[in-house]
Amino acid sequence: MLVLKRLIAFIVTSVAVLGSGAALAASGHPEPWQLGMQQGATPVMDDIIWFHNLLVWAITAIVLFVLVLLIIVVVKFNARSNPTPSRTTHNTTIEVIWTVVPVLILVTIAVPSFRLLFFQLNAPKADVTVKATGKQWFWSYSYPDSKFEFDSLMVQEKDLKPGQPRLLAVDNEMVVPVNKVVHVLTTGADVIHAFAVPAFGIKIDAIPGRINETWFKAEREGIYYGQCSELCGKDHAFMPIMVRVVSDKDYTAWIDQAKKKYATDDSHPTAVAAVDGAH
Ligand SMILES: [Cu+2]
């Protein structure tokens, strides 16, 4: 009886933990016990999640089908229950079926796969452009339309304020307006880094000497976190990405204030500017 009670308690707790994990997945960063992906905040990520689920169902159906076939073979056609095996080597009908059905399955997968690929790669016209430069080991964000640039460093564990997630919070975050197309240009100042924000469905290499481009349109205000996703050296794990998505009004206010705070003095180029000018 006690065992049964404990088992029921365990199941109830597990379901509660998993349920709350799903609810917390909208927080813009991973949660303990979370299953599945973070909730999408952009149309691209919504499509990625949809496509992922389609593939999971397809894989599950195929695996179960093959498993059933294997069980039938093991049970019905072993030496004891089937002492005189059939001598059949060809069956045209079944050969056509096992060629055509996989082709149809692959085509069914390929159509949404290519649609998603084009959706990700065909960036709509930009409302805002931000250049993210990966450096050992932090990010610099530059807003070319407003002519300022700033560095974004991880908040050390001892300096974390309540509510700031460990290894993800930064001192100066990238700020973008909600429901606007943001182009992210990435490059590396020293080695290859990668700019990735899971809730936006973006991940793109930041390579020294060249500019890569991706885009997102965040549909919900909030804070979204990502990390450098290319092994870039000793502190690779400590150069997080933090994006704050705000209303148009708050964005304009932030731009005004940021222009003053991060004003670049053209007569005294910083080390950062010197690196940019070197290509
Ligand atoms: Cu990096």
Side-chain angles (χ1 to χ4, degrees):
M1 250 343 258
L2 187 66
V3 174
L4 188 69
K5 260 190 192 163
R6 280 198 182 153
L7 186 68
I8 291 171
F10 173 74
I11 293 170
V12 169
T13 321
S14 313
V15 169
V17 165
L18 296 180
S20 61
L24 287 169
S27 60
H29 57 79
E31 293 289 347
W33 293 95
Q34 180 185 328
L35 280 187
M37 285 183 262
Q38 291 179 42
Q39 199 188 92
T42 64
V44 166
M45 190 55 193
D46 292 342
D47 276 18
I48 292 175
I49 292 173
W50 179 88
F51 187 57
H52 166 83
N53 291 342
L54 173 81
L55 291 186
V56 169
W57 284 114
I59 293 164
T60 309
I62 292 167
V63 166
L64 290 179
F65 177 67
V66 173
L67 181 69
V68 168
L69 290 185
L70 282 175
I71 291 172
I72 291 174
V73 169
V74 169
V75 173
K76 273 184 78 176
F77 298 101
N78 61 63
R80 218 180 310 143
S81 49
N82 189 39
T84 39
S86 135
R87 296 248 155 212
T88 313
T89 54
H90 287 292
N91 183 318
T92 312
T93 317
I94 201 132
E95 283 162 18
V96 168
I97 291 174
W98 79 39
T99 309
V100 171
V101 171
V103 167
L104 290 179
I105 294 173
L106 288 179
V107 169
T108 316
I109 289 172
V111 171
S113 165
F114 279 108
R115 211 191 50 201
L116 175 57
L117 207 58
F118 287 122
F119 189 30
Q120 290 176 306
L121 293 179
N122 273 343
K125 207 176 145 323
D127 296 311
V128 174
T129 302
V130 183
K131 183 175 147 215
T133 308
K135 297 172 182 172
Q136 283 177 319
W137 285 272
F138 59 96
W139 291 94
S140 289
Y141 299 108
S142 137
Y143 287 64
D145 304 329
S146 309
K147 296 195 170 50
F148 63 81
E149 172 160 14
F150 59 90
D151 295 339
S152 178
L153 278 82
M154 187 185 83
V155 177
Q156 295 301 317
E157 207 167 336
K158 59 177 176 13
D159 303 323
L160 281 175
K161 294 193 193 74
Q164 282 188 321
R166 183 177 154 268
L167 301 182
L168 288 176
V170 300
D171 54 357
N172 300 311
E173 70 274 21
M174 167 179 164
V175 178
V176 294
V178 72
N179 283 322
K180 288 279 158 65
V181 174
V182 179
H183 280 205
V184 183
L185 309 177
T186 61
T187 189
D190 32 46
V191 297
I192 303 178
H193 302 267
F195 188 86
V197 182
F200 296 166
I202 57 173
K203 175 178 281 184
I204 188 145
D205 276 353
I207 302 169
R210 65 175 278 180
I211 298 270
N212 277 344
E213 183 177 33
T214 188
W215 71 282
F216 67 85
K217 190 174 104 179
E219 292 181 317
R220 278 182 290 114
E221 289 179 33
I223 301 174
Y224 302 91
Y225 297 91
Q227 285 168 311
C228 177
S229 298
E230 180 68 66
L231 277 175
C232 60
K234 167 174 88 68
D235 285 348
H236 161 66
F238 309 108
M239 50 179 295
I241 294 154
M242 176 174 169
V243 184
R244 183 191 298 277
V245 179
V246 297
S247 67
D248 268 349
K249 201 167 126 269
D250 289 353
Y251 179 69
T252 321
W254 179 81
I255 285 281
D256 284 344
Q257 169 244 296
K259 268 185 195 161
K260 284 172 213 136
K261 188 171 165 194
Y262 305 123
T264 40
D265 182 353
D266 285 338
S267 59
H268 297 94
T270 58
V272 170
V275 168
D276 282 344
H279 323 146

